[in-house]
C-alpha cells in the first residue's frame, strides 16, 4: 500500500543517530514508523515522543503523505546544569507514497503517548466485489 521514496534515507537515519546530530528544517531527521493493514483501514504509526501536538504537521498532496514534527528543548532555569542530554531534538520528517487504493480524503489522525497514528480507509473501488451473471441476457452486473 506504500512505497519508500528514498532508499538511502535509512542510512541517513543511522548516521544521524551515531553522530548525534539533530534535524533541521533544511535537513530533517527521519522518524521511525510502522505500517500495516487492519481490516478496511491502512494504519501508519510514527514514533514522536516528546513532540507537542502544535508541533505536528500532516499534509497530503495527491498520494504523497508528509509528516513533520519538531521537538524543542524544555526551557530550563539559569541555575540548571545539564549533566546528560541524549534525547534527540530538532525537526523530524517522513514522506510516504500512498497507493491509489487508499481514500486520502478521510484520513484520521490521533496522537497518544508519543505515537502519531494515521488511519486511512481502503477506497470502496479497491475492495473485492462479486459479479453476478444474468442468464440469457448476456449482461454482467456488479454488485457491491
Amino acid at each position: 500500500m506504500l512505497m519508500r521514496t528514498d532508499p538511502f534515507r535509512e542510512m541517513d537515519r543511522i548516521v544521524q543517530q551515531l553522530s548525534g546530530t539533530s534535524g533541521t528544517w533544511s535537513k530533517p531527521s527521519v522518524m521511525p514508523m510502522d505500517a500495516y493493514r487492519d481490516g478496511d483501514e491502512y494504519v501508519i504509526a510514527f514514533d514522536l515522543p516528546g513532540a507537542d501536538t502544535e508541533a505536528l504537521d500532516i499534509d497530503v498532496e495527491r498520494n504523497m503523505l508528509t509528516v513533520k514534527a519538531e521537538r524543542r528543548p524544555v526551557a530550563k532555569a539559569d541555575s540548571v546544569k545539564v549533566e546528560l542530554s541524549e534525547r534527540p531534538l530538532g525537526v523530524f520528517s517522513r514522506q510516504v507514497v500512498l497507493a491509489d487504493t487508499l481514500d486520502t480524503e478521510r484520513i484520521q489522525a490521533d496522537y497518544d503517548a508519543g505515537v502519531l497514528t494515521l488511519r486511512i480507509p481502503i477506497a470502496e473501488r479497491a475492495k473485492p466485489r462479486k459479479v453476478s451473471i444474468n442468464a440469457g441476457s448476456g449482461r454482467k452486473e456488479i454488485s457491491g
Side-chain angles (χ1 to χ4, degrees), residues 58-122:
I58 305 167
D59 289 317
V60 177
E61 186 176 337
R62 295 188 190 165
N63 60 343
M64 177 66 75
L65 171 72
T66 303
V67 177
K68 286 187 179 180
E70 183 176 10
R71 190 159 76 191
R72 300 173 183 107
V74 177
K76 296 177 181 67
D78 290 339
S79 62
V80 173
K81 294 180 182 170
V82 177
E83 296 287 330
L84 180 66
S85 180
E86 293 182 343
R87 297 172 54 219
L89 301 173
V91 180
F92 302 86
S93 179
R94 192 76 184 249
Q95 286 190 314
V96 179
V97 177
L98 302 174
D100 292 334
T101 56
L102 299 176
D103 187 354
T104 58
E105 298 293 322
R106 300 186 317 152
I107 296 176
Q108 293 179 338
D110 296 302
Y111 185 64
D112 184 40
V115 178
L116 174 66
T117 304
L118 303 181
R119 294 187 171 281
I120 311 167
I122 305 295

Side-chain angles (χ1 to χ4, degrees), residues 21-33:
T21 58
S22 297
T24 63
W25 284 108
S26 61
K27 183 140 177 70
S29 297
V30 177
M31 64 189 82
M33 70 174 223

